[in-house]
Amino acid sequence: MGERTTLRLSDERKHLLDQASDIVASDPSDDPPRSDVIDAALTHLIESHENLEDVRDKYPPGEVKDCCNTSVLQLRYRTSIEQRWR
């Protein structure tokens, strides 16, 4: 991935960052910097992927899908689990 110094924010991205900021904030008056919000979101994504990899052989695919299917980690079930990243 290339280095960038600017982040263009569409209305949808700004809305997602505002929602994530509310999750990361320690209380209603806290306004965390965007870098902290992005760091938290990236950490969550990486941990979710690692958690999915850890359980894929321990539980049936349907159970994993019910617990882990999100719009970011889309899971298709046939005889195995396939991941498709956006």
Side-chain angles (χ1 to χ4, degrees):
M1 180 183 337
E3 297 280 329
R4 291 173 89 174
T5 56
T6 60
L7 178 64
R8 296 181 196 267
L9 294 179
S10 64
D11 289 341
E12 182 181 351
R13 254 190 204 161
K14 184 171 181 340
H15 180 68
L16 290 172
L17 276 169
D18 290 342
Q19 285 181 304
S21 182
D22 291 343
I23 294 168
V24 173
S26 60
D27 61 51
S29 64
D30 188 17
D31 186 20
R34 283 205 172 125
S35 60
D36 288 354
V37 175
I38 293 169
D39 288 348
L42 292 172
T43 300
H44 178 71
L45 176 63
I46 292 165
E47 288 175 353
S48 294
H49 180 259
E50 290 170 352
N51 291 339
L52 179 61
E53 291 297 317
D54 288 345
V55 300
R56 75 183 326 163
D57 295 327
K58 297 177 187 173
Y59 298 97
E63 193 171 328
V64 174
K65 180 181 182 292
D66 290 343
C67 295
C68 301
N69 197 17
T70 72
S71 61
V72 176
L73 292 176
Q74 295 182 352
L75 308 177
R76 283 187 18 204
Y77 289 86
R78 301 202 192 260
T79 57
S80 64
I81 298 174
E82 297 175 25
Q83 296 177 20
R84 184 185 79 189
W85 296 92
R86 286 193 214 185

